[in-house]
Amino acid sequence: MTLFFIGSFVGVFVGFIIIGILTSSQSTDLYTEISRLRIENRRLASENDSLHERISSIVKENADLQKKNAELFAKLLKVKRNYRKNRMEMEMDEVEN
């Protein structure tokens, strides 16, 4: 009977040791995965910052182009007005002559 209790104790003790080894192996895997994810997160954050700067630059360039477009459109309207004015003056001159 004593041998049974000693065997049971040794069996339980060995079982705990095996479970501890498996658990520590899984913990190591988790820590490795967490470290890998942290590195990936830093890389993505850096890439995100770079993309944000690029987007900001594109938005600024777009605003500059819209301003230039408005200026050119205003010049076009002015040229159209001058063209109509000159054409009307030429027609008036032809009628007078």
Side-chain angles (χ1 to χ4, degrees), residues 82-96:
N82 286 339
Y83 172 76
R84 287 183 188 141
K85 180 181 169 188
N86 289 340
R87 193 175 82 203
M88 286 177 46
E89 286 177 1
M90 285 176 44
E91 288 174 359
M92 294 293 254
D93 287 345
E94 286 178 5
V95 170
E96 288 177 2

Side-chain angles (χ1 to χ4, degrees), residues 50-92:
S50 173
L51 289 172
H52 181 61
E53 289 173 10
R54 187 169 170 216
I55 288 169
S56 296
S57 171
I58 290 170
V59 166
K60 183 185 179 307
E61 183 179 352
N62 184 39
D64 292 344
L65 288 173
Q66 285 181 344
K67 181 179 175 185
K68 181 74 172 177
N69 187 32
E71 291 170 359
L72 290 173
F73 188 71
K75 285 181 182 179
L76 174 65
L77 291 177
K78 186 176 179 181
V79 167
K80 277 180 144 182
R81 277 192 301 258
N82 286 339
Y83 172 76
R84 287 183 188 141
K85 180 181 169 188
N86 289 340
R87 193 175 82 203
M88 286 177 46
E89 286 177 1
M90 285 176 44
E91 288 174 359
M92 294 293 254

